[in-house]
Every structure is written in structure tokens, then in C-alpha cells.
Amino acid sequence: VKYVVELARALGSMPGVYRVDLLTRQVSSPEVDWSYGEPTEMLPPRNSDGLMDEMGESSGAYIIRIPFGPRDKYVPKELLWPHIPEFVDGALNHIIQMSKVLGEQIGSGHPVWPVAIHGHYADAGDAAALLSGALNVPMLFTGHSLGRDKLEQLLRQSRLSKDEINKTYKIMRRIEAEELSLDASEIVI
């Protein structure tokens, strides 16, 4: 996750990149840091010498936390699959609103749409594929690891059956999401 945050921060400070939004789940729970409940968090650039003066009103990199799934407790990622459509709806609403705001600021009144959608990990890849299709915007996918490999490793350990692995890790849903993500992507990292 630190890598994804640092990637967003670095992209947000690149010349020619006006804004980067890192969309994730909003959680308001005593089980996690209070900041996970904040809807928006700016990611200031590492080298901001003079850069903040050059940036526009809404430019830079941000973490945008979308409420979906149970709001008041942390839920393991394996249990969030049924809530992905709710995340996609919230993300799409954010993107539409932001395109209007950016249109007023830098688009001469015309909406400014994302140039690309980048999904990290299986669940975000699943959401990115849906957003990419809805917005007709190219998709990038970084899996970081793959469910098929994890399934093979777990089966070799012989501690759990395939059904137990699937029940514990929702591995077949993960593999389905990764395959959708790979198929929908213009670039796979």
C-alpha cells in the first residue's frame, strides 16, 4: 500500500499531470487509524520547493476515501467482493463531480476526464475494469501478486483443501477479478 501511495504522490508532482486521485475505502472504526475515516487527504509532494505555488486549486495527489460496505468496522479484503459495485458507483460519482470541478478550473468550462484508470491488486483491478468501461478510459493493472500462484502455493502446502482455500481467501473470485483486469487492461505492470 505504501508503494501505491508513493506512486500517486510522485505522479501528482510530475510535469503535465494536473491531478491524481487514489480511490480507496473509507472506514470509520476504532480498529483503524482515524485518518481512514477522512473523505479526502492531500498527498503533498516530497520536493515541494516552489511547486505548491505553481499548482492549481485542485491539482496534486489525493487519497479519496469512498464509503462502501460496512461503514463502522474494518472488513478483511476477502469479504469486500459483494461491495465492489457500491464502490464503483461511489467512485464514478466522485469522478463525474471532479471532472466538472476541473472543467471549471482548467477546462474552459468543459469537463476534464481522467486520462487513465490504474487498478492495484485484484479487487481494485475489478473496480478499475468497470470504471474504465463506463468512462471509456484506458486501464492499467498492477496485480502485485496473482491468485493462481497463491492457490498453487497453498495447495502444495497440503494444509487446506481447494474448497477450504476458496472459503478462506475467496481465491476463485480473486482469480476471476484478476483475469477480468488483465483482459481489460491496455498495460499490465
Side-chain angles (χ1 to χ4, degrees), residues 21-83:
D21 283 351
L22 172 56
L23 307 178
T24 190
R25 180 171 178 241
Q26 184 182 39
V27 182
S28 297
S29 167
E31 300 170 77
V32 297
D33 189 79
W34 66 269
S35 64
Y36 287 39
E38 292 296 306
T40 304
E41 178 182 343
M42 185 173 193
L43 298 172
R46 288 280 180 234
N47 297 332
S48 57
D49 300 337
L51 188 60
M52 295 306 278
D53 298 333
E54 297 173 24
M55 297 171 69
E57 186 179 343
S58 297
S59 66
Y62 296 83
I63 297 175
I64 306 296
R65 295 183 182 90
I66 308 288
F68 76 101
R71 309 266 197 272
D72 57 348
K73 66 179 182 173
Y74 176 80
V75 176
K77 65 182 178 188
E78 293 83 8
L79 302 179
L80 286 175
W81 290 109
H83 306 287

Side-chain angles (χ1 to χ4, degrees), residues 141-189:
F141 178 62
T142 304
H144 297 275
S145 67
L146 293 175
R148 285 195 185 279
D149 292 338
K150 181 170 184 157
L151 175 59
E152 285 179 30
Q153 286 176 334
L154 290 169
L155 287 171
R156 273 197 301 267
Q157 292 173 0
S158 301
R159 293 186 194 137
L160 299 171
S161 70
K162 188 173 181 178
D163 286 341
E164 291 169 324
I165 293 167
N166 193 44
K167 185 176 181 182
T168 303
Y169 298 103
K170 308 294 186 249
I171 202 83
M172 298 314 291
R173 179 62 180 93
R174 174 181 170 178
I175 291 169
E176 176 189 345
E178 288 168 349
E179 289 180 356
L180 170 67
S181 301
L182 292 167
D183 286 344
S185 294
E186 298 287 325
I187 297 173
V188 176
I189 299 167

